[in-house]
Amino acid sequence: MRFALLVLLSPLCAAQAPTWTEIAPLFDRWCNGCHRTGQVGPFDFTTYEGASTYAPEIAREINAAKMPPWGVKPGPLHFSNSRQLPDEVTAKLLAWINANTPNGTAPTLPKRNPQWNLGPPDLIFTQPKEHTVPAEKTVDILSFDIPSAELGTTDKDRDFDAFEFRPSNRELLHHAVLKIGRQPLAAWALCDNGIRLPAGVAWRLPKGQPLTVELHYFKRNLRPARDLTRLALYVPKQQPKRWASLLEIVKTDIKIPAGENLHLEKTSFRIPENLQLHAILPVFQLLADDIRLRIGGQHDYFLWLAPFEHHLMSSYLLAAPLPLKKGTPLEAEALYDNSLQNPFNPHKQLREVHFEENGFDETFRFWLTVSRPR
């Protein structure tokens, strides 16, 4: 990879370095989904002043392959929300930075909705009141219901094919789940800009039933923190041909010995009916280091994430649906680091760790967004 970048970079250095006119669209495509006001990224790169101010830090993160964050190992699947920088984009960004970030005429870029990444919503809901996670808590889980009258499902079903969460505190809300009764319907994580299904696929809101919103908070310090989250739903423009839902692969009997840094846990699962796979959301905590999911019997993992980074958790959206036949075995694996060498280990006094969603133990969960014919 480094050799390829040097080859690509050398002609750029020899010629005139790119200016902001050429670089701004690259930031807009690869960085500004997160690095702009109101999003999860800490700096705003939508202007020349913002991007050039942090140019040394940007170069350092790119060279270390830390930004954009994308820990997915190459495999048979392609993801529509891949943040893996192409070599030619990396070369141009570094050439611009190495040339002391020459300015230029600001190009006309596609307008981004300042409130919602997916554009103006059809329905917007706000949690009933601002929630405070107290100082003594690290993890907090809050649930509330959106009644059918607000959903417009008092006497009829309703569909949505995209949704987006907008927390007021992007550093506090870690992930969220939508449920009908106790059945998980859809899931979102802090690095998701929004989740949209392919054309012809939608989630169904059955008439007369509320939609339960479950918010999972994770706090990194010992100060109280507040959040007021909004949820946007988008109604499909065509009649859906398939219904989407969540399929859960979970292992609740994990046991991670104190001090082990390569502890393996694994489980298997069989697809209950003919389905199509659209997205994968791994849900683990601070000890998970290397997670893998594959179709049984195949050598290649169709999701291999190393390192797993809890603070950068996101969904992986397939570029094309993957058919899964009834009875297809899936194999899930996770390597945990419960040693003091793990900088994220919350236990300074090492102990055996089990399954618990409290921030100090661990989880083992994959949520698969799947669909079936209507």
Side-chain angles (χ1 to χ4, degrees):
M1 177 65 76
R2 290 186 179 276
F3 175 76
L5 290 180
L6 287 173
V7 172
L8 287 166
L9 192 55
S10 55
L12 286 169
C13 293
Q16 184 176 3
T19 67
W20 180 245
T21 306
E22 185 178 355
I23 293 300
L26 302 183
F27 272 95
D28 187 70
R29 165 64 180 85
W30 296 100
C31 307
N32 295 348
C34 294
H35 288 281
R36 59 191 175 94
T37 302
Q39 299 302 313
V40 69
F43 312 115
D44 190 328
F45 296 155
T46 59
T47 65
Y48 170 78
E49 291 74 18
S52 60
T53 296
Y54 292 98
E57 290 83 358
I58 293 170
R60 183 179 65 243
E61 294 295 301
I62 290 176
N63 282 319
K66 291 183 176 181
M67 286 288 159
W70 189 254
V72 178
K73 303 294 185 185
L77 292 187
H78 298 283
F79 299 99
S80 62
N81 62 335
S82 172
R83 295 184 291 269
Q84 181 71 54
L85 279 184
D87 286 348
E88 61 271 19
V89 172
T90 301
K92 285 184 178 180
L93 291 173
L94 292 178
W96 177 70
I97 293 170
N98 291 337
N100 294 320
T101 65
N103 204 341
T105 304
T108 301
L109 300 174
K111 289 187 177 180
R112 291 181 179 269
N113 188 293
Q115 292 293 319
W116 301 101
N117 294 298
L118 299 182
D122 297 298
L123 298 165
I124 301 175
F125 308 97
T126 303
Q127 69 185 87
K129 63 179 181 179
E130 188 177 59
H131 182 67
T132 299
V133 180
E136 66 273 12
K137 278 193 172 184
T138 297
V139 168
D140 204 8
I141 301 175
L142 172 71
S143 293
F144 65 92
D145 287 344
I146 302 173
S148 58
E150 295 182 25
L151 294 168
T153 59
T154 302
D155 54 6
K156 64 178 180 180
D157 298 333
R158 196 169 194 180
D159 305 320
F160 67 100
D161 64 353
F163 70 97
E164 182 177 340
F165 281 93
R166 182 81 174 188
S168 64
N169 188 341
R170 292 299 301 240
E171 294 183 356
L172 186 61
L173 184 62
H174 186 261
H175 64 280
V177 191
L178 300 177
K179 296 182 176 181
I180 300 294
R182 296 184 177 181
Q183 182 63 42
L185 183 66
W188 171 96
L190 77 163
C191 285
D192 291 334
N193 289 327
I195 305 293
R196 184 179 293 280
L197 291 171
V201 185
W203 293 278
R204 168 136 288 196
L205 297 171
K207 67 178 181 180
Q209 295 191 44
L211 176 66
T212 298
V213 180
E214 189 175 279
L215 305 177
H216 291 245
Y217 293 109
F218 186 89
K219 186 162 57 65
R220 297 180 177 279
N221 53 52
L222 297 178
R223 297 188 298 271
R226 296 186 297 272
D227 173 67
L228 186 69
T229 285
R230 291 181 295 160
L231 166 66
L233 301 183
Y234 297 78
V235 176
K237 294 181 173 55
Q238 65 184 66
Q239 184 69 22
K241 298 179 181 179
R242 301 181 67 87
W243 301 140
S245 62
L246 279 185
L247 201 62
E248 183 181 54
I249 301 176
V250 62
K251 190 176 191 292
T252 58
D253 60 348
I254 61 175
K255 186 183 296 185
I256 308 170
E260 283 205 19
N261 65 351
L262 287 174
H263 176 75
L264 175 65
E265 294 280 352
K266 58 183 179 180
T267 190
S268 59
F269 177 87
R270 287 191 177 272
I271 298 298
E273 57 183 302
N274 291 340
L275 298 169
Q276 287 186 356
L277 177 66
H278 301 285
I280 307 168
L281 174 55
V283 183
F284 293 79
Q285 301 202 61
L286 297 172
L287 301 183
D289 183 61
D290 185 324
I291 61 173
R292 310 174 188 187
L293 189 63
R294 66 180 174 186
I295 298 177
Q298 294 195 14
H299 175 73
D300 291 331
Y301 296 99
F302 63 89
L303 180 66
W304 182 0
L305 191 57
F308 174 82
E309 296 180 278
H310 178 262
H311 63 288
L312 295 173
M313 201 168 83
S314 67
S315 302
Y316 298 91
L317 311 180
L318 275 66
L322 177 68
L324 295 174
K325 291 184 178 181
K326 179 180 179 179
T328 299
L330 303 184
E331 298 170 356
E333 303 173 0
L335 286 170
Y336 297 95
D337 185 352
N338 191 18
S339 72
L340 293 179
Q341 281 69 49
N342 178 359
F344 302 110
N345 194 333
H347 311 292
K348 302 312 173 188
Q349 298 294 324
L350 295 177
R351 64 171 178 83
E352 185 175 85
V353 171
H354 301 267
F355 187 101
E356 183 65 45
E357 293 183 282
N358 61 11
F360 295 105
D361 287 273
E362 253 301 337
T363 55
F364 185 116
R365 177 182 284 117
F366 290 87
W367 273 319
L368 311 182
T369 300
V370 298
S371 69
R372 54 185 58 78
R374 55 174 296 185

